[in-house]
Amino acid sequence: MASKESDKLRTDKTKELISLSASDFIDLQHAQEILDELRELIRFHEHKYYVEADPQISDYDYDQLEKLLVRIEQNYPQLQDPNSPSQRVGSDINQDFVQREHTYPMLSLGNTYSEEELLEFHDRIVKTIGDDFSYVCELKFDGASVSLTYLDGKLLYAVTRGDGTKGDDITANVKTIKSIPLFLGNHGYPAEFIMRGEIYMSLEGFNKLNEERIETGEPAFANPRNSAAGSLKMQNSSQVARRPLNCYLYAIISDDLASDSHYENLKLAKYWGFRISEHLKKCKDIGEVLEYIKYWNIARKKLPFDIDGIVVKVDSLRQQKQLGYTAKSPRWAISYKFKAERVSTRLESVSYQVGRTGAITPVANLTPVQLAGTIVKRASLHNADQIEMLDLHIGDAVFVEKGGEIIPKIVGVKLEERTTNLNKVIYISHCPECETQLVRMEGEANHYCPNENGCPPQIKGKIEHFISRKAMDIGFAEATVSLLFEKGYLRNIADIYNLEKTQIEALDGFREKSANNLIQSVQQSTSIPYARVLFALGIRHIG
């Protein structure tokens, strides 16, 4: 990439542009010149931050560059560019995804789970091309596959795997992912080529997203992989832009590649601006491949994202062509899958939680067991269909996995240990809190308690959501809500604004000063912008 000297020149230019305003332009030509400089600078800073992890300016200065870009494009709509960095923010317009055929099919990889099967794969290759070849080993990222087409250095479109021959055009959503270049830097890339990669969500980003969802009363996502895939299929790209998505690219396809080596071509792609994994390794023989797999089977636990295996490829493109394909997968590549961590324990009981929307979540209570470095006592059962599919009985010996999951899940039952006196788990018909008969809406997996104005967890959940930091930001704790509810002072969100200082002072742990602070916090919430008030009301399907 650029030298330190040119990096400094760009940083100085950044400071110069930040001082401009959208009205500082003499004419259309001057505006175009500034736009070209702005777009180039923003692409440079995006690459430094999201690909090289080496930011050159502060977040504030970067934001100022983006804001200036948007203002100029708004003032001069005729100068807008579909590949401008301003497109990263996404659009509020809902879209129906159109299908687009893959120029080159996106085939699946064959899977292997043992060293013996991998050696059999190696022997088949040797029989076809001899033993004069190298392998490339890559981490198998656990996310959503994407195919990116570039024309003259610009992103043309992005397509999901789909059925391998055609997929959904998700270009608008992919443009919001800042580690994917919209416009390539440097030189030497083919006029037209395709990059294949995996869009994923980091563990930190996934956990933060789930914390936000739980705080707003929404169900937590099961794992980063599903979260990433679901985010890409959202109809509103401005919502996708708020998801912590990232991307690694692992293959380049073109009739005009500079090298016969897959490994060398990826190094070139990194030079052009693509985010290529630093853990890529060229191996001279199958022994080095096995060492790589052995290392990452342990080291993967320290990665900031999920992987579920290692991809092993023959390096030479000429030899890849010689080996060819089956109907479903290439003969020159294979996926070595790590075994998910699994333990056996006893299902002691099933309890049911009621959310603020009335959604009922069944939870398996387990005999405590060590799994993936933590003690697991509970596992989500998701819904009635999951319980029925597993055919659970109280007292069953069950298999629990984490694997790529953050939340432990039951994946099976040791039927050989089941005795005849165990009772089958029957999903409840009435709310465990208020005994109202549950309902299940057509097309939905969850059961709901419809008694939203009389069911204690729903009432307290709505109040807790209303006062939360991203909503009305009132200085209550959950324990305070429970105390006020038990005293009968809070029965709905309107009651918050009728609270009296004497009522609060009477609660355990409160004194005059803390009561005053709480009353003051309630009063300050009346100046919160209406958009946050609407969010605080927690109306289902309205954000």
Side-chain angles (χ1 to χ4, degrees), residues 129-419:
I129 64 172
D131 57 6
D132 185 17
F133 66 94
S134 300
Y135 286 113
V136 176
C137 288
E138 307 165 3
L139 304 184
K140 188 175 184 299
F141 306 104
D142 200 10
S145 298
V146 67
S147 181
L148 309 172
T149 298
Y150 284 83
L151 182 63
D152 297 328
K154 295 181 180 180
L155 177 63
L156 189 61
Y157 48 75
V159 184
T160 63
R161 178 191 295 277
D163 63 3
T165 59
K166 61 181 181 297
D168 288 333
D169 187 323
I170 55 169
T171 309
N173 288 347
V174 162
K175 282 183 175 181
T176 69
I177 302 173
K178 294 187 177 181
S179 55
I180 294 179
L182 305 181
F183 191 93
L184 299 184
N186 294 317
H187 55 82
Y189 42 81
E192 183 173 1
F193 66 95
I194 290 170
M195 291 297 295
R196 296 273 166 84
E198 197 84 357
I199 293 172
Y200 69 94
M201 194 175 287
S202 71
L203 297 175
E204 181 183 0
F206 172 74
N207 290 333
K208 186 176 180 181
L209 177 63
N210 262 351
E211 287 171 6
E212 292 173 354
R213 290 178 66 83
I214 292 168
E215 185 177 323
T216 58
E218 298 175 276
F221 287 126
N223 57 56
R225 178 187 63 253
N226 291 353
S227 304
S231 297
L232 290 175
K233 300 302 287 290
M234 294 173 76
Q235 295 291 314
N236 187 321
S237 60
S238 66
Q239 294 179 17
V240 181
R242 293 192 287 269
R243 294 287 175 89
L245 297 175
N246 214 327
C247 183
Y248 272 118
L249 286 306
Y250 54 70
I252 176 171
I253 306 172
S254 172
D255 294 329
D256 186 26
L257 293 176
S259 173
D260 178 58
S261 165
H262 166 68
Y263 181 80
E264 293 301 324
N265 285 325
L266 286 182
K267 285 172 65 177
L268 275 173
K270 184 175 183 179
Y271 171 71
W272 300 332
F274 290 104
R275 189 165 181 258
I276 308 298
S277 173
E278 62 273 29
H279 304 303
L280 185 76
K281 183 177 181 182
K282 188 173 179 179
C283 300
K284 67 178 185 293
D285 55 38
I286 192 65
E288 287 191 0
V289 171
L290 292 172
E291 288 176 7
Y292 184 91
I293 289 172
K294 183 178 180 181
Y295 173 81
W296 282 110
N297 190 30
I298 297 171
R300 64 189 171 112
K301 297 173 185 177
K302 297 180 181 179
L303 288 168
F305 48 79
D306 281 335
I307 64 170
D308 60 356
I310 299 297
V311 176
V312 182
K313 300 175 182 176
V314 171
D315 182 48
S316 166
L317 304 186
R318 175 182 53 81
Q319 290 175 328
Q320 288 183 9
K321 188 174 182 180
Q322 186 179 348
L323 288 161
Y325 300 81
T326 68
K328 294 183 178 181
S329 59
R331 290 191 175 95
W332 44 266
I334 198 166
S335 168
Y336 183 95
K337 301 291 287 287
F338 295 129
K339 293 179 181 178
E341 295 189 66
R342 172 186 290 194
V343 294
S344 174
T345 187
R346 291 284 170 187
L347 174 63
E348 296 183 350
S349 64
V350 175
S351 54
Y352 297 84
Q353 299 174 342
V354 185
R356 69 172 175 86
T357 63
I360 309 297
T361 302
V363 177
N365 299 302
L366 309 168
T367 302
V369 63
Q370 182 87 13
L371 175 62
T374 60
I375 299 295
V376 173
K377 300 178 182 178
R378 291 150 65 85
S380 173
L381 289 171
H382 302 296
N383 52 56
D385 292 342
Q386 182 75 4
I387 291 174
E388 185 64 29
M389 182 186 74
L390 291 167
D391 186 30
L392 290 175
H393 289 60
I394 302 298
D396 270 340
V398 295
F399 294 110
V400 183
E401 277 187 7
K402 270 192 176 178
E405 307 280 343
I406 301 301
I407 303 169
K409 66 175 183 177
I410 293 176
V411 295
V413 177
K414 294 178 74 172
L415 294 175
E416 65 273 18
E417 293 190 19
R418 177 179 289 169
T419 56

Side-chain angles (χ1 to χ4, degrees), residues 503-519:
Q503 294 174 326
I504 298 169
E505 284 180 325
L507 300 176
D508 291 341
F510 277 86
R511 297 292 184 268
E512 182 179 2
K513 183 177 179 180
S514 53
N516 281 332
N517 289 341
L518 196 149
I519 292 294

